Amino acid sequence: MRLGGLNLSDDELLKIDRIVITACGTSWHSGLIGEYMMEELARIPTEVEYASEFRYRNPNRGRADAGGRHLTVR
């Protein structure tokens, strides 16, 4: 899989343990397809959030010392 625009090494990509896709309108529906693909193909837990609501949340990002990485796609 090629993810254009990411300046991450292969090792950094392998450390990603969660993906959050934020979107509004029709792009939110595209995000749902992306969620399915990432979970099915890459086996990485993924969630899709409305961007307008996400800014008011305080999402659980896991423990900072656990070494895990999260990727947020806007």
Side-chain angles (χ1 to χ4, degrees):
M1 181 181 298
R2 182 175 174 84
L3 300 173
L6 291 178
N7 295 322
L8 299 173
S9 69
D10 290 344
D11 290 333
E12 290 172 317
L13 285 172
L14 290 172
K15 290 180 183 176
I16 294 173
D17 57 8
R18 179 173 169 230
I19 297 172
V20 178
I21 300 171
T22 59
C24 288
T26 56
S27 62
W28 182 80
H29 295 281
S30 298
L32 293 174
I33 301 299
E35 175 186 25
Y36 171 78
M37 292 177 65
M38 292 309 251
E39 289 184 341
E40 186 71 22
L41 300 174
R43 309 299 294 164
I44 300 173
T46 304
E47 58 185 281
V48 181
E49 299 281 345
Y50 281 109
S52 59
E53 300 296 324
F54 186 77
R55 65 182 285 193
Y56 298 110
R57 291 187 55 222
N58 185 14
N60 179 4
R61 294 189 180 121
R63 294 178 45 198
D65 61 351
R69 301 281 186 260
H70 298 117
L71 174 66
T72 301
V73 181
R74 300 187 289 153

